[in-house]
Amino acid sequence: MDFFEQNIDRTGTFSVKWERTKEVFKTEEDVLPMWVADMDFRPPQAISDALKKRVEHGIFGYTFTGETVADAIINWLADRHGWEINKSWITYSPGVVPSIGKAIQAFTEPGDRILVQSPVYPPFFSMITDNDRKVENCPLIKKEHQYDIDFDAFEQALKNGVKLFILCSPHNPVGRVWTEDELRRMAELCLAHDVIIVSDEIHSDLILAGHQHVPIASLSKEIAENTITLIAPSKTFNLAGLQASVIICANHDLQKKLNVIAKRQGSFTLNTFGIVAMEAAYRYGEEWLDELLAYLKGNVDVVKSYIADELPELTLVEPEGTYLLWIDCRKLGLSDGELNHLFTHKGKIGFNPGISFGKGGEGFVRMNVACPRSTVIEGLARMKKAIHS
């Protein structure tokens, strides 16, 4: 665990998280960044070694994503999630958000309605509207410490002419790891109403103890034929800057349509280092990941205990997956602008404002705890100082 306790200076590396905080939060003060979803941990040594070896080769011409990369992905999904996939189902993309854009362009037309479940990852909204489609929102239902799906509203939304459903599984920011029953019910409703599923499963490896991720496409052949699954090693192993992700699609016709869009965009392969890191991550990263998950669970427990003991004005939504905590601040009675000002200027801490995640995010903040425990404790102390100021 000492590995994850290291405080590594990330300034001077063009780090969005650490070097654009003042710009993002519109302040000249030093703000502790606990917002954008990357980790302050080095990846497994096997990934760094593979990258060093490739650098030492010294020639960086055109590359392709080889068979051994696909083999590593197939074995990872089988071992980690019990999902058997075919090599022909795999294509590649620089990232999950570009893949969502491809799916929107491939399977819908301008003016079509696309379903989301807020509060949810903000690019879901922007990719829909930037492509001249319309958002059909079916907000999740907030219970005391958890969120559920309103299935009656979900089905009604599908009846409103929806063409595509973007699923966040596990869900960012509310931390739900959907059960098999929940996933099956959503998938079967989409089948019944002829709605294609795009399942963003980028957080699927970041599952806290007591929960199990189920790839929605693994539920049945029929569901697999109606689903495009998006995964990446970026969140799992802190490789976002290498821009390498995977599109998994069992339906040849749907995959062909995606490839047409990729061709139009001139997108043909991944960058050299993304390819190398992806294979090393999925081939050698499991032991490191298990240690990471234990450490993250400890960070979550620290936040949970601190809020219960020191900040009863706040409520932590019980996380089941991801390293992103969804905190209910509504008892403070502040507007979203006031809440952001409180934490940014009085606490000098940077959170993602809940309102950026759409309807249902009002009065919440998202806290990133993928950092050394000392940073988590410092962040909590700043929260307390701000609230009690």
Side-chain angles (χ1 to χ4, degrees):
M1 292 299 178
D2 291 346
F3 178 89
F4 300 108
E5 295 285 359
Q6 299 175 54
N7 282 288
I8 300 168
D9 183 1
R10 296 181 61 187
T11 58
T13 64
F14 301 108
S15 166
V16 169
K17 182 177 182 180
W18 285 90
E19 297 184 77
R20 296 197 69 185
T21 302
K22 290 182 179 180
E23 178 183 340
V24 169
F25 290 94
K26 297 179 175 59
T27 178
E28 290 302 316
E29 300 174 288
D30 288 325
V31 174
L32 184 67
M34 302 189 78
W35 59 296
V36 68
D38 73 5
M39 298 190 279
D40 291 326
F41 307 132
R42 288 193 174 99
Q45 189 61 43
I47 297 176
S48 298
D49 289 344
L51 290 168
K52 288 176 185 176
K53 182 178 179 180
R54 186 65 185 84
V55 168
E56 288 168 358
H57 181 273
I59 299 176
F60 311 110
Y62 290 115
T63 51
F64 65 95
T65 310
E67 295 282 306
T68 56
V69 182
D71 290 338
I73 294 165
I74 289 167
N75 292 335
W76 180 268
L77 291 173
D79 294 343
R80 201 80 191 177
H81 303 299
W83 186 23
E84 304 285 344
I85 70 167
N86 190 293
K87 193 173 293 187
S88 67
W89 300 0
I90 296 174
T91 54
Y92 301 95
S93 171
V96 164
V97 173
S99 299
I100 291 171
K102 289 178 188 176
I104 288 170
Q105 294 169 25
F107 308 126
T108 67
E109 299 293 336
D112 282 347
R113 308 190 76 81
I114 298 175
L115 180 61
V116 299
Q117 297 167 303
S118 72
V120 74
Y121 183 48
F124 282 18
F125 298 105
S126 60
M127 291 307 295
I128 294 169
T129 57
D130 288 349
N131 280 285
D132 298 318
R133 276 65 168 175
K134 295 179 180 178
V135 174
E136 181 75 28
N137 189 14
C138 180
L140 299 172
I141 303 171
K142 171 73 166 60
K143 300 295 180 65
E144 186 177 359
H145 293 289
Q146 186 178 292
Y147 282 78
D148 290 331
I149 299 162
D150 184 340
F151 280 102
D152 290 335
F154 185 88
E155 184 168 20
Q156 184 57 53
L158 295 177
K159 292 177 180 178
N160 290 341
V162 165
K163 300 297 183 184
L164 194 71
F165 167 43
I166 308 177
L167 170 66
C168 198
S169 178
H171 195 282
N172 168 22
V174 308
R176 275 300 315 274
V177 175
W178 305 117
T179 66
E180 182 174 335
D181 287 345
E182 288 170 321
L183 292 166
R184 189 178 300 280
R185 191 168 176 188
M186 285 189 286
E188 289 178 349
L189 285 169
C190 286
L191 282 170
H193 294 280
D194 196 25
V195 173
I196 296 169
I197 301 168
V198 174
S199 186
D200 173 0
E201 301 188 12
I202 197 169
H203 293 279
S204 58
D205 298 317
L206 297 166
I207 307 299
L208 299 177
H211 303 279
Q212 178 66 47
H213 173 71
V214 177
I216 193 169
S218 70
L219 295 176
S220 73
K221 184 176 185 298
E222 191 177 21
I223 293 169
E225 289 281 329
N226 193 51
T227 301
I228 294 89
T229 302
L230 310 177
I231 65 166
S234 52
K235 292 290 185 279
T236 309
F237 299 103
N238 207 25
L239 304 174
L242 295 181
Q243 297 186 322
S245 76
V246 184
I247 302 172
I248 303 170
C249 181
N251 186 319
H252 176 74
D253 291 336
L254 296 185
Q255 189 185 74
K256 188 175 179 180
K257 289 179 179 179
L258 284 169
N259 290 340
V260 166
I261 299 300
K263 185 177 180 181
R264 286 179 189 169
Q265 296 172 346
S267 175
F268 301 108
T269 187
L270 302 179
N271 77 78
T272 300
F273 297 110
I275 294 169
V276 170
M278 178 182 285
E279 179 171 359
Y282 286 137
R283 198 172 292 281
Y284 306 116
E286 189 160 26
E287 182 179 351
W288 180 94
L289 176 57
D290 289 338
E291 293 176 1
L292 169 72
L293 292 174
Y295 190 82
L296 291 177
K297 177 63 165 59
N299 279 356
V300 170
D301 289 343
V302 166
V303 175
K304 188 175 179 179
S305 295
Y306 192 95
I307 287 178
D309 295 340
E310 304 290 337
L311 297 172
E313 306 94 335
L314 307 182
T315 302
L316 175 65
V317 174
E318 191 70 35
E320 299 173 349
T322 84
Y323 50 72
L324 305 165
L325 303 187
W326 190 236
I327 301 174
D328 187 345
C329 308
R330 290 176 295 178
K331 289 180 183 177
L332 296 176
L334 302 177
S335 70
D336 290 291
E338 291 169 336
L339 188 63
N340 182 61
H341 186 271
L342 175 74
F343 288 127
T344 301
H345 297 282
K346 291 188 179 291
K348 296 182 175 56
I349 183 168
F351 295 133
N352 290 99
I355 190 66
S356 67
F357 297 87
K359 185 177 180 180
E362 304 88 349
F364 286 76
V365 296
R366 191 187 74 170
M367 179 184 194
N368 178 349
V369 295
C371 52
R373 195 150 300 149
S374 58
T375 304
V376 174
I377 293 169
E378 173 65 19
L380 291 167
R382 292 186 184 208
M383 290 178 75
K384 181 178 178 179
K385 179 182 178 182
I387 290 171
H388 293 173
S389 65

